[in-house]
Amino acid sequence: MTTPARRPVREDTSWVLEPLLELPHVIHAAVISGDGLIEGRSPNLERDSAEGVAAMLSALQGAARTTTAAFAGDYDVTLRQTVIESDQGWVFAIPAGQNTCLAVFAGPEVNMGVVTHTMQVQVATLGAKAMSSPTRSDSPA
């Protein structure tokens, strides 16, 4: 009998959100996988809402890449940032490593530069921690 391969256990990455949530006018933050799964979320973001955000942001990132590629005529596109402005505030999304993105929702009066800079710092911190952490899996020893 063959034992099926198991997906490695992903570490909860919510810790990367704390410095973002301390910024003025930041309301929510999340770490989202490229396939639309929530990997970390701010404490006051309900699970159902977080899962909806993850699914929609994953689709939005794909649409942004495809739109940029169509405009540029070059299909080798790497997104650096996706920004949405609404009357309710701002959504910022940036890549956070392999197949992951960091997303923040902030009120209309937020300082965009401070938020995006802090997001970049946290992505670098997340990457450094991932590179120094041993690989984990959920298979028995």
Side-chain angles (χ1 to χ4, degrees), residues 9-10 23-24 26 30 46 75 107 129-130 135:
V9 172
R10 297 286 308 233
L23 296 174
V26 169
E46 295 294 327
Y75 290 88
K129 183 172 180 356
T135 304

Side-chain angles (χ1 to χ4, degrees), residues 23-25 92 107-116:
L23 296 174
H25 309 292
F92 305 95
E109 54 286 315
V110 73
N111 182 325
M112 294 171 60
V114 170
V115 171
T116 57

Side-chain angles (χ1 to χ4, degrees), residues 17-78:
L17 306 175
E18 290 173 19
L20 294 162
L21 295 169
E22 293 171 358
L23 296 174
H25 309 292
V26 169
I27 301 166
H28 296 298
V31 179
I32 299 166
S33 72
D35 53 355
L37 300 175
I38 195 77
E39 294 186 355
R41 62 186 165 103
S42 48
N44 58 346
L45 181 58
E46 295 294 327
R47 183 137 196 78
D48 287 348
S49 294
E51 289 173 354
V53 166
M56 295 311 299
L57 196 51
S58 176
L60 179 65
Q61 295 283 84
R65 240 183 321 281
T66 303
T67 301
T68 302
F71 269 130
D74 180 357
Y75 290 88
D76 188 22
V77 173
T78 301

